[in-house]
């Protein structure tokens, strides 16, 4: 969510696969990987983000944009 905030994203803004890899995945160690997956699942469940069919592309929802 910080990436969206720092990008001044609005609802519908997309965090591409390349963005996810460079901003998040490269910074995770093996212990953090599971925590990251849990956090993504919670954000999706809470309606803050949608995840595209590729499983990596993240889309900010209106609800997520309002939380900034």
């Amino acid at each position: 969510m910080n990436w969206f905030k720092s990008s001044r994203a609005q609802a519908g803004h997309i965090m591409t696969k390349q963005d996810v890899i460079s901003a998040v995945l490269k910074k995770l160690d093996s212990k953090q990987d599971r925590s990251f997956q849990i956090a993504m699942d919670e954000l999706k469940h809470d309606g803050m983000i949608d995840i595209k069919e590729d499983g990596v592309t993240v889309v900010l929802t209106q609800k997520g944009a309002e939380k900034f």
Side-chain angles (χ1 to χ4, degrees), residues 17-50:
K17 181 178 180 179
Q18 184 175 350
D19 295 328
V20 172
I21 290 169
S22 64
V24 180
L25 297 180
K26 283 187 176 179
K27 297 176 183 179
L28 296 179
D29 61 33
S30 60
K31 292 180 182 180
Q32 295 170 319
D33 189 49
R34 181 69 184 135
S35 297
F36 171 73
Q37 187 60 49
I38 291 169
M40 293 295 286
D41 290 344
E42 288 178 6
L43 289 170
K44 184 177 178 184
H45 180 265
D46 292 345
M48 307 288 275
I49 61 170
D50 286 325

